[in-house]
Amino acid sequence: MPGKNLSRDEAQQRASILAVDGYQVRLDVTSAPDPAAATFRSTTTIAFRCTEPGAAAFVDLLAPAVRSVTLNGRELDPATAFDGARVHVDGLAAENVLVVDADCAYSRTGEGLHRFTDPVDGETYLYTHYEPADARRVFADFEQPDLKAPFSFTVTAPAAWDVWSNAVHEEVTAEGDARTWRFAPTKPISTYLTAVVAGPYHVARDHYSRTLADGTALEIPLSAMCRKSLAPHFDADEILGTTKLGLDFFHEQFDYPYPFGKYDQAFVPEYNIGAMENPGCVTFREEFVFRSKVTDAAYEGRANVVLHEMAHMWFGDLVTMRWWDDLWLKESFADFMGSYGLIGARTRFSSAWVTFANQRKAWAYRQDQFPTTHPITADIRDLEDAKLNFDGITYAKGASVLKQLVAYVGSEAFFEGARRYFKRHAFGNTELADLLDILEETSGRDLTAWAAAWLQTAGVNALTPQVTVDAEGRITELAVLQDAGNGDTVRPHRIAVGLYDRDADGALVRTDRIELDVTGARTVVAGAVGRPRPALVLLNDDDLTYCKIRFDAESLETLRAGLGDVQDDLARALAWSAVWNLTRDGLMPARDYIALVLRFAGQEANIGVLQSLHTQAKGAVDLYADPAWRGEGGRLLADGALRELRAAAPGSDHQLAWARFLAQTANGSEHLGLVRGLLAGTARIDGLDVDQELRWSLWLALAAAGQAADEELAEELKADHTASGNRQYTQCLAARPTPEAKAAAWSAVVDSDELPNALVEANIAGFALPSHRDLTALYAAPYFKLLERVWSERTIEIAMRIVGGFFPRAQIDEQTLAEADAWLDGHPGAAPALRRLVLECRDDLARALRAQACDRV
Ligand SMILES: [Zn+2]
């Protein structure tokens, strides 16, 4: 569709002549409960100024139909003014009023106004999600972050519903079966941040108050909501408790009163991402409402997201990037604040930095080694580019680099910089230079070189210790070698070097810590000379910088013999992530990594680290192990899972994690027999509650092994006829190891756009099990043929899932690599965002081939 992919140039041009005074948006969603109704009425009135009277412009709108367009009282013909993506207007005056009356579509892809009907009680729920550019699916607008304006929403909805938006409602009037909610005007905000949530949601209410420095009282009404049928599982108290701790903490740190009045948090169905920071009306994926037992890592993850979104009220909502190039200006900060806040706000999640080091950074390291990696400040030409940049660089690497910046300039200068940034740019838009100027003021340091090294270049360095010792075993020199990495840049790193030895009880404990600046390719660690050679040299101890950690030969031997004996949680997490990086880089055979997991994961105290070990070990078998050994590797993992499941403390998080891991790895008759026994109630593991979500994991194991009868799966769905049950049932069907099941899943996703986002995802997940590589091999050729059609016909959210999910990633051979290359060579003109996705999948495949070569003996 022409004009759908708004470019940076167009946005700049538009901002150079326009300023928006305000939007009035009227939505009528009374038709929503009727599944036959495809659209809702949307009437937008935009008041805006133009510095070049007579000029032409366009507003963005993705809608099935436009009824009328009126500019300054003049009727325009929708048939010529509206092209499906834009409403073109010309002859602008200095001051303009544009009215666009349209029929917009209810969404089933999570983009725009998403509609969901609950299978439990038939109730319908609506919510909006826009970032980066889907507000135009709900009302006509100037869809770019720097044309901020106040928004006044009026929503007519079924009488039994409640409606929320960014601001408080000022009036509700009833008429027949409907009620109309008129909301107060918002502060000036960007289009992508507006929100509407509507439906018979269950609501928990609370209140936050605080006396500000000037003595005035700040009052913030709080609420949290979810679907009615989830209400019995909704632990709103815990969520609202974290919310209050966060509000205390960010007020102390930011010294700028929360600017958006009230604070609602809606947990909504079929949500594409974790959460979205709509001012005053945050939306979260409802999987954060836990229907069954989850480990504490899940609670920590949710609390992190609550604080991440809250930090956005300042970083992102109050001060917003001018264009998507500087997306990191909000996401890197919010990601950093999620972990920083868990500690600073004194939540119970004291190991937030362990999780960050082990999981968040893994995402960054992976993304930063793709050929498509980019600097943290990116070059975003258009909206498709923007959509793909919600990635491991913008979030996790950016947050890692801010952590390094705090180590570099000190936390006082960093937070004083944040405080000035909010005051100076409140309700405005910024770029990199605006932030650097302020940080230079507060730190007194020239940050040009730092920014060039960390924000404006791509790639990850590896740091390796080089230790020489004398005849008595004393260090004569300890040096840190820095390789330029895939980005050809060496960087200044503030790091700590930890020296570890065994204590009297055999634990590996830190005996010395040396902090220094690493610059250039080789840096000598002053102060190490003359010390006894330690058992383990751990670079980047305390995880101050962003790098891959390597080891000298003796330290690696120490870890092979005793990784689990490293006493400190963070140091051990760093060691785990380093050996995983070695495996991914083809420097440690997959079977060696798996042996480490089998030997030491049972001792791993940190539940989040344990769960990532499970994911990585499974990935190592599926992708990185020599195919000749893969079967044995898989059996070893399943045996290990069973052993640790039986050994775990009854009722513990660790027991649940091992049970889930058994479900993922079960392959022999012993394991699958236990799985069936647990489902039937004929087998028991003391303390293990086989609740609904665990049941589905167990059914998935049986389905994938061809041991779940269709009637049994249907029976389970009957017992759990919920949104989650539907998804998992769909995944089980797609996971059956038959050509028919694979064909049905493929076709359901590819041949029609009837399925909602959640079921697209479930079908792909079941279809693409690596263990079914023989069954799915014949889909490689059709995959490459359908790419361009999918990209042009489907919404970008769905297209991204299909392109990434159906890539033949389990076909790890030269032929598939050649097919990927042939597609890339043959389609130089394909959409850059599509090429980027394929390039990344292709790179994963090439990496797997290298890792397999390393594992081949
Ligand atoms: Zn965010």
Side-chain angles (χ1 to χ4, degrees):
M1 190 176 292
K4 189 171 153 192
N5 189 14
L6 179 75
S7 74
R8 178 176 51 201
D9 290 345
E10 289 173 316
Q12 277 172 353
Q13 208 282 326
R14 195 158 62 172
S16 72
I17 60 166
L18 301 185
V20 186
D21 292 322
Y23 287 83
Q24 290 185 9
V25 181
R26 291 189 70 93
L27 305 175
D28 183 342
V29 297
T30 44
S31 66
D34 174 7
T39 60
F40 57 94
R41 186 85 173 262
S42 162
T43 313
T44 310
T45 304
I46 315 175
F48 64 101
R49 281 165 286 136
C50 175
T51 55
E52 286 179 13
F58 60 89
V59 295
D60 302 284
L61 177 67
L62 295 173
V66 171
R67 297 176 181 223
S68 69
V69 179
T70 312
L71 175 66
N72 300 329
R74 171 165 60 99
E75 294 272 340
L76 307 181
D77 179 3
T80 51
F82 179 57
D83 64 9
R86 294 175 175 184
V87 177
H88 299 271
V89 292
D90 55 11
L92 292 178
E95 295 192 4
N96 302 276
V97 176
L98 174 69
V99 184
V100 180
D101 188 3
D103 294 314
C104 293
Y106 293 110
S107 169
R108 290 299 284 136
T109 67
E111 300 153 291
L113 182 65
H114 189 80
R115 174 169 60 175
F116 172 84
T117 299
D118 191 334
V120 174
D121 53 17
E123 296 283 12
T124 295
Y125 294 89
L126 302 178
Y127 63 87
T128 57
H129 178 70
Y130 299 151
E131 189 174 33
D134 284 319
R136 58 191 170 148
R137 294 181 186 277
V138 178
F139 56 90
D141 69 354
F142 298 109
E143 188 80 62
Q144 60 190 79
D146 58 343
L147 283 174
K148 288 190 173 183
F151 286 81
S152 301
F153 284 96
T154 304
V155 181
T156 303
W161 287 17
D162 286 326
V163 184
W164 292 263
S165 185
N166 305 94
V168 292
H169 63 265
E170 290 188 321
E171 182 183 57
V172 184
T173 49
E175 196 186 330
D177 292 340
R179 287 197 293 170
T180 295
W181 298 65
R182 191 169 56 74
F183 292 91
T186 67
K187 292 276 178 27
I189 56 175
S190 304
T191 49
Y192 78 92
L193 289 169
T194 61
V196 170
V197 173
Y201 284 90
H202 163 82
V203 195
R205 293 196 169 83
D206 204 337
H207 195 86
Y208 174 84
S209 35
R210 177 182 186 83
T211 306
L212 298 173
D214 65 2
T216 58
L218 176 69
E219 302 290 341
I220 307 177
L222 308 177
S223 81
M225 50 269 202
C226 68
R227 286 187 289 121
K228 278 196 294 192
S229 66
L230 281 177
H233 308 292
F234 195 34
D235 54 342
D237 286 352
E238 165 130 356
I239 293 162
L240 293 166
T242 305
T243 304
K244 291 183 204 170
L245 289 174
L247 286 169
D248 268 342
F249 181 66
F250 289 132
H251 277 97
E252 279 155 27
Q253 296 292 320
F254 296 163
D255 190 32
Y256 191 105
Y258 172 71
F260 298 109
K262 49 93 177 173
Y263 200 75
D264 297 323
Q265 297 176 94
F267 292 78
V268 298
E270 300 185 329
Y271 202 52
N272 283 330
I273 57 171
M276 181 66 207
E277 69 266 22
N278 313 305
C281 191
V282 181
T283 38
F284 294 81
R285 65 188 296 109
E286 69 175 16
E287 287 74 8
F288 284 131
V289 179
F290 305 124
R291 299 198 314 150
S292 293
K293 180 178 163 70
V294 294
T295 70
D296 215 37
Y299 287 96
E300 180 187 319
R302 183 177 70 180
N304 185 310
V305 174
V306 167
L307 295 181
H308 173 123
E309 305 311 326
M310 190 182 291
H312 272 315
M313 298 298 137
W314 289 267
F315 281 112
D317 294 358
L318 177 63
V319 183
T320 312
M321 69 274 154
R322 184 166 307 291
W323 176 249
W324 303 101
D325 309 63
D326 280 311
L327 177 61
W328 76 281
L329 272 176
K330 70 181 183 78
E331 290 309 341
S332 302
F333 279 89
D335 219 51
F336 173 76
M337 291 296 167
S339 300
Y340 189 86
L342 283 179
I343 308 285
R346 289 183 284 280
T347 69
R348 65 188 175 88
F349 305 108
S350 55
S351 58
W353 287 123
V354 176
T355 308
F356 184 83
N358 188 251
Q359 286 158 47
R360 219 54 184 168
K361 280 195 167 174
W363 183 25
Y365 297 140
R366 176 170 187 271
Q367 189 91 43
D368 209 5
Q369 293 175 85
F370 282 136
T372 56
T373 189
H374 56 86
I376 291 172
T377 59
D379 176 25
I380 302 300
R381 295 156 295 191
D382 54 37
L383 289 177
E384 286 191 1
D385 276 2
K387 180 79 181 174
L388 263 71
N389 245 38
F390 291 80
D391 66 6
I393 302 299
T394 304
Y395 284 70
K397 182 180 179 183
S400 308
V401 165
L402 291 179
K403 193 167 185 240
Q404 167 71 180
L405 180 63
V406 172
Y408 187 67
V409 301
S411 66
E412 197 31 54
F414 180 80
F415 280 99
E416 178 54 26
R419 291 188 277 272
R420 290 189 198 178
Y421 180 73
F422 300 137
K423 290 195 180 78
R424 201 169 296 172
H425 298 288
F427 301 107
N429 293 83
T430 53
E431 297 166 357
L432 167 64
D434 299 310
L435 180 75
L436 288 185
D437 284 352
I438 289 176
L439 286 171
E440 289 185 344
E441 276 170 38
T442 59
S443 70
R445 296 178 84 145
D446 179 356
L447 292 176
T448 316
W450 182 88
W454 283 108
L455 301 176
Q456 293 165 325
T457 57
V460 56
N461 304 119
L463 301 185
T464 309
Q466 192 180 50
V467 193
T468 51
V469 293
D470 63 17
E472 279 88 55
R474 297 194 172 275
I475 295 175
T476 53
E477 188 187 69
L478 171 56
V480 179
L481 308 183
Q482 176 176 189
D483 81 27
N486 54 321
D488 301 327
T489 308
V490 293
R491 297 182 176 82
H493 296 267
R494 183 77 189 166
I495 67 163
V497 179
L499 309 182
Y500 288 76
D501 268 308
R502 292 206 181 259
D503 69 6
D505 301 324
L508 279 163
V509 295
R510 187 158 75 187
T511 55
D512 256 312
R513 177 187 187 276
I514 306 169
E515 193 168 315
L516 74 155
D517 288 314
V518 167
T519 51
R522 189 171 194 278
T523 306
V524 173
V525 182
V529 177
R531 297 172 194 240
R533 143 99 235 185
L536 168 66
V537 177
L538 181 63
L539 298 185
N540 197 29
D541 204 355
D542 298 333
D543 197 37
L544 301 181
T545 194
Y546 169 81
C547 68
K548 289 196 284 187
I549 304 169
R550 305 301 200 204
F551 300 103
D552 62 294
E554 194 170 330
S555 295
L556 191 55
E557 275 319 303
T558 299
L559 291 176
R560 284 182 192 276
L563 196 161
D565 301 332
V566 176
Q567 201 168 47
D568 179 72
D569 275 7
L570 178 57
R572 202 172 59 250
L574 289 169
W576 277 123
S577 88
V579 294
W580 174 239
N581 277 323
L582 288 172
T583 309
R584 280 176 37 82
D585 289 350
L587 300 172
M588 175 181 274
R591 69 190 69 194
D592 290 11
Y593 176 78
I594 289 159
L596 281 170
V597 171
L598 288 169
R599 184 153 175 210
F600 296 120
Q603 286 169 251
E604 181 50 59
N606 183 293
I607 186 68
V609 171
L610 176 64
Q611 290 180 280
S612 60
L613 292 178
H614 288 160
T615 307
Q616 289 162 356
K618 181 79 167 65
V621 164
D622 288 338
L623 304 175
Y624 299 156
D626 178 4
W629 185 76
R630 193 186 283 142
E632 189 185 337
R635 275 189 295 282
L636 288 172
L637 282 189
D639 287 344
L642 186 54
R643 190 181 63 237
E644 299 296 343
L645 172 59
R646 294 196 188 283
S652 64
D653 283 2
H654 283 64
Q655 185 188 48
L656 175 60
W658 285 109
R660 290 187 173 280
F661 192 50
L662 178 69
Q664 284 165 31
T665 54
N667 52 36
S669 56
E670 187 196 356
H671 314 123
L672 290 165
L674 175 62
V675 164
R676 187 161 272 287
L678 288 170
L679 279 168
T682 54
R684 268 182 55 79
I685 304 281
D686 189 26
L688 182 70
D689 181 10
V690 184
D691 56 22
Q692 189 60 60
E693 294 292 327
L694 184 56
R695 287 186 68 83
W696 281 116
S697 306
L698 298 170
W699 277 119
L700 182 62
L702 292 181
Q707 295 188 17
D710 290 2
E711 308 76 58
E712 292 179 305
L713 295 174
E715 209 44 45
E716 190 70 27
L717 177 63
K718 226 164 156 191
D720 181 31
H721 193 49
T722 62
S724 176
N726 263 344
R727 275 201 310 276
Q728 304 194 68
Y729 172 73
T730 302
Q731 184 177 348
C732 285
L733 291 186
R736 291 169 299 171
T738 64
E740 295 76 19
K742 298 300 172 191
W746 173 273
S747 172
V749 171
V750 165
D751 296 334
S752 133
D753 62 2
E754 291 291 304
L755 284 185
N757 50 351
L759 296 186
V760 167
E761 187 174 88
N763 271 296
I764 290 174
F767 173 93
L769 289 177
S771 56
H772 292 169
R773 47 173 57 83
D774 293 345
L775 279 165
T776 52
L778 58 102
Y779 290 88
Y783 167 85
F784 289 108
K785 285 204 188 74
L786 68 81
L787 284 176
E788 283 183 299
R789 179 170 67 79
V790 161
W791 198 259
S792 68
E793 290 179 3
R794 309 299 282 273
T795 67
I796 191 161
E797 183 67 40
I798 300 298
M800 284 168 67
R801 286 174 194 223
I802 295 175
V803 173
F806 277 154
F807 185 92
R809 68 188 182 97
Q811 314 302 327
I812 304 163
D813 49 44
E814 294 295 339
Q815 186 199 326
T816 310
L817 197 63
E819 282 179 275
D821 286 335
W823 186 87
L824 286 162
D825 291 345
H827 297 81
L834 169 60
R835 285 183 57 85
R836 172 176 167 175
L837 287 171
V838 176
L839 271 165
E840 291 175 358
C841 292
R842 185 259 179 224
D843 193 65
D844 272 338
L845 196 59
R847 180 178 286 274
L849 281 167
R850 291 195 298 275
Q852 288 189 358
C854 170
D855 193 53
R856 204 161 289 133
V857 286

